Amino acid sequence: AFYMKKGEELEILIEDMNDDGRGVGRTDEGFVIFTDKVVPGDKAKVRVRKKKKSYAEANFLELLSPSPDRIDPRCPYFGVCGGCKLQSLEYGKQLEFKHSVVENALKRIGGFGEVNVPEVLGSKDIFFYRNKMEFSFSDDKWVVDPNDSGEEKEKFALGLHVPRFHSKIIDIKECFLQSEISNRILNFTRDFFKNKGVSIYSTNTHEGYLRFLIIRQCANTPDLMVNLVTYDYNEELIKEYAELLKENVPEVTTFINGLSDKRAQVAFAHGEVVVFGDGIINEKLIRKDGTEFTFKISPNSFFQTNTIQAQNLYDVALEFGDFSKDDKVLDLYCGAGSIGIFISDKVNKVLGVELIEDAIENANENKKLNGIENAEFIVSDIKDFLLGSVSEYIDVKDYNKIILDPPRSGLHPKICEILSETKLDKIVYVSCNPSTQARDLKFICENGNYTIEKIQPVDMFPHTYHVENVVSLKGNNEN
């Protein structure tokens, strides 16, 4: 038997990448090793961190010879910050990788042998594409350079999480995922509070003031929101910050001080003070045919994080749905109603269903904002809704097409079962996780009521291993 122990150092050739962007290599004996910070084609020295029966996990030590597809990452924090795992891989190759993730999922998990997956729809902007960034304050600063001891004693960081370390934060001066303006806000905010010696909230002591900085910036309108989440309200300090923020970053259209005294470290405020502006921003989604829809985004609203690619994703869903004025469409997991609103003028009516009440409130506001008469949005568990226990006046059988956009975990088996027995003309399944999507599609198509018609992967998040995928199923109706 092949013997390997923890801590052992090995030289391996990286042959492939797995779904979550880790490099896959093999020892001479064919034993599989997973390791971070590498791309296919790299030869690397690694140290075994964890040994299992059929594989080992290893830490990257050094690059022995680089892959021809390797590029220099633009970001100085690459490899420490867990955000952009694929930044050292040429963008065309990133798209090839994402294509293989979708294809493998449909073939291996879904059992669809004959699928033809088209090229991934790439993002025009591969940097500065996010409309929302969340930065955390921490007094547990991650030391990138051990010689940089001079300022470490300050224990003040504002930035992003180090993977696998709950409280450690990298003090980030520049992130390439959001605009240059957001970096100005980030640095201004750090300097302002650091120079004043303002305390940072700690979950251990349940004391301290600063918690999160959230920046939301529209792509199709000039709106820009800063949301500073603190433990409680300090009027004098916030007023001073707000005045200087306006002066230094005049592009900010609204500033909110979110308040959260909960222990959980999630950037979700339980109360808020609108300091200037109207506390919301308005973003537009513009369809391929030029039609514009406006969406109101409040601090806790859900909205697709890459506006421009969201438009492309929804254009694909619109095309796959092949909608006509007779169609009655169910939009399940509708969130703030963006897809339902985006297709509303092409169909007879849309009914959106979602469990999160805030999202449905947003959806109804967005519907009003766009003057849409033929869409309705209701709060319900999707499973209960499909089982018909929600209301006597809604019958799933009255609808002939469904759009699904579930969370990463995919659909509940009961939902797949119900869908597999329906006789709809079309199901359009939008997914952010090809593995769970393939599992669900297998279940829905099993009894022969549906066949895969079209597939289109879309890259919403360049430099990460995430990929969205849209699949349309055609109902095999006899009549």
Side-chain angles (χ1 to χ4, degrees):
F2 173 62
Y3 179 72
M4 174 191 293
K5 58 183 187 300
K6 198 177 147 177
E8 193 171 328
E9 293 183 2
L10 305 162
E11 294 183 3
I12 53 171
L13 175 69
I14 306 303
E15 296 161 10
D16 202 358
M17 251 151 74
N18 70 354
D19 287 6
D20 59 9
R22 286 190 302 168
V24 183
R26 283 179 176 74
T27 62
D28 296 343
E29 295 76 10
F31 193 77
V32 175
I33 311 267
F34 293 110
T35 187
D36 276 333
K37 303 182 190 176
V38 288
V39 303
D42 278 346
K43 195 167 181 204
K45 190 175 184 179
V46 301
R47 181 183 292 132
V48 178
R49 182 178 80 230
K50 213 192 260 166
K51 162 91 166 59
K52 296 271 203 258
K53 209 169 168 157
S54 57
Y55 68 91
E57 289 178 24
N59 289 333
F60 172 79
L61 294 177
E62 67 169 305
L63 189 61
L64 300 171
S65 65
S67 161
D69 303 325
R70 177 181 271 278
I71 54 169
D72 285 336
R74 181 171 177 178
C75 174
Y77 309 101
F78 174 75
V80 184
C81 161
C84 305
K85 281 196 165 60
L86 305 184
Q87 221 189 104
S88 54
L89 185 61
E90 196 266 313
Y91 187 58
K93 294 288 176 191
Q94 292 184 26
L95 295 178
E96 283 177 25
F97 160 68
K98 294 183 187 203
H99 179 271
S100 71
V101 168
V102 172
E103 196 171 55
N104 287 341
L106 288 168
K107 288 185 171 165
R108 290 182 191 158
I109 301 169
F112 299 101
E114 294 302 296
V115 291
N116 178 21
V117 180
E119 279 182 21
V120 180
L121 204 58
S123 180
K124 186 170 65 67
D125 301 310
I126 63 170
F127 290 106
F128 306 124
Y129 58 80
R130 285 184 70 96
N131 57 36
K132 178 185 182 191
M133 283 297 287
E134 283 174 13
F135 298 103
S136 304
F137 289 93
S138 173
D139 55 5
D140 192 358
K141 178 168 165 178
W142 179 265
V143 187
V144 178
D145 176 3
N147 304 323
D148 176 23
S149 57
E151 57 163 4
E152 289 317 321
K153 300 183 183 66
E154 293 163 3
K155 288 206 144 225
F156 192 108
L158 173 58
L160 299 168
H161 280 271
V162 179
R164 294 204 293 273
F165 291 95
H166 169 64
S167 70
K168 287 200 186 299
I169 294 293
I170 308 163
D171 201 38
I172 285 186
K173 303 289 193 291
E174 183 173 30
C175 172
F176 295 111
L177 290 182
Q178 207 178 16
S179 70
E180 183 272 326
I181 299 171
S182 76
N183 288 322
R184 265 167 43 211
I185 296 167
L186 174 70
N187 293 317
F188 162 75
T189 304
R190 176 192 301 105
D191 294 343
F192 176 84
F193 290 111
K194 192 169 168 178
N195 294 339
K196 286 201 164 324
V198 177
S199 65
I200 289 171
Y201 175 81
S202 153
T203 37
N204 302 335
T205 58
H206 200 40
E207 283 171 347
Y209 177 71
L210 297 165
R211 300 195 71 167
F212 302 99
L213 171 69
I214 302 149
I215 302 169
R216 300 187 81 154
Q217 180 176 15
C218 298
N220 291 322
T221 74
D223 288 7
L224 175 59
M225 174 193 290
V226 172
N227 179 9
L228 181 77
V229 180
T230 58
Y231 182 77
D232 51 18
Y233 185 51
N234 177 336
E235 187 172 9
E236 203 180 323
L237 185 62
I238 288 294
K239 266 211 162 104
E240 190 186 341
Y241 171 80
E243 286 311 311
L244 283 169
L245 178 66
K246 267 187 191 157
E247 216 172 284
N248 284 277
V249 195
E251 294 90 339
V252 177
T253 56
T254 187
F255 167 49
I256 293 145
N257 179 196
L259 307 170
S260 168
D261 56 6
K262 298 278 186 285
R263 266 214 150 120
Q265 279 291 51
V266 282
F268 189 89
H270 301 277
E272 60 187 47
V273 178
V274 177
V275 186
F276 66 77
D278 43 18
I280 58 146
I281 50 177
N282 287 307
E283 176 64 299
K284 285 187 167 138
L285 288 178
I286 305 167
R287 226 165 43 195
K288 233 194 225 141
D289 62 13
T291 314
E292 296 187 1
F293 300 94
T294 302
F295 293 86
K296 176 180 145 186
I297 301 172
S298 57
N300 292 332
S301 301
F302 174 77
F303 194 76
Q304 285 280 9
T305 324
N306 180 341
T307 304
I308 304 301
Q309 280 298 76
Q311 292 171 173
N312 291 328
L313 183 74
Y314 295 169
D315 272 326
V316 170
L318 180 64
E319 183 199 326
F320 281 17
D322 196 15
F323 296 113
S324 77
K325 281 293 189 190
D326 303 328
D327 287 337
K328 292 173 180 161
V329 183
L330 284 178
D331 177 11
L332 304 182
Y333 306 92
C334 66
S338 42
I339 297 186
I341 288 167
F342 197 86
I343 66 162
S344 56
D345 59 336
K346 301 284 191 191
V347 301
N348 180 300
K349 68 170 178 181
V350 176
L351 174 62
V353 187
E354 166 68 60
L355 189 55
I356 301 164
E357 278 180 44
D358 282 356
I360 290 297
E361 214 172 288
N362 288 333
N364 282 313
E365 283 174 354
N366 290 330
K367 173 178 110 171
K368 274 203 211 78
L369 203 57
N370 292 285
I372 289 165
E373 306 281 322
N374 64 336
E376 192 185 345
F377 297 99
I378 61 168
V379 176
S380 165
D381 174 83
I382 307 292
K383 183 163 88 291
D384 296 347
F385 170 80
L386 288 173
L387 286 167
S389 51
V390 175
S391 99
E392 48 277 20
Y393 78 93
I394 292 172
D395 186 353
V396 177
K397 292 188 189 64
D398 294 342
Y399 293 82
N400 66 318
K401 290 181 181 174
I402 285 187
I403 293 176
L404 302 161
D405 188 2
R408 288 190 67 73
S409 53
L411 305 174
H412 186 282
K414 189 75 195 156
I415 295 174
C416 293
E417 190 185 325
I418 299 165
L419 290 175
S420 74
E421 287 159 11
T422 55
K423 297 275 182 156
L424 296 150
D425 298 334
K426 230 178 249 301
I427 296 176
V428 179
Y429 188 149
V430 180
S431 165
C432 57
N433 183 347
S435 308
T436 53
Q437 183 189 39
R439 173 201 72 197
D440 296 344
L441 292 171
K442 179 181 185 175
F443 198 161
I444 295 169
C445 296
E446 219 156 34
N447 59 8
N449 282 339
Y450 292 95
T451 315
I452 289 186
E453 185 182 37
K454 289 180 182 164
I455 301 167
Q456 180 60 62
V458 179
D459 184 23
M460 296 280 272
F461 302 108
H463 311 302
T464 73
Y465 54 79
H466 297 292
V467 57
E468 317 275 314
N469 190 36
V470 188
V471 174
S472 63
L473 300 177
K474 187 170 85 252
N476 301 324
N477 299 337
E478 273 65 74
N479 49 16

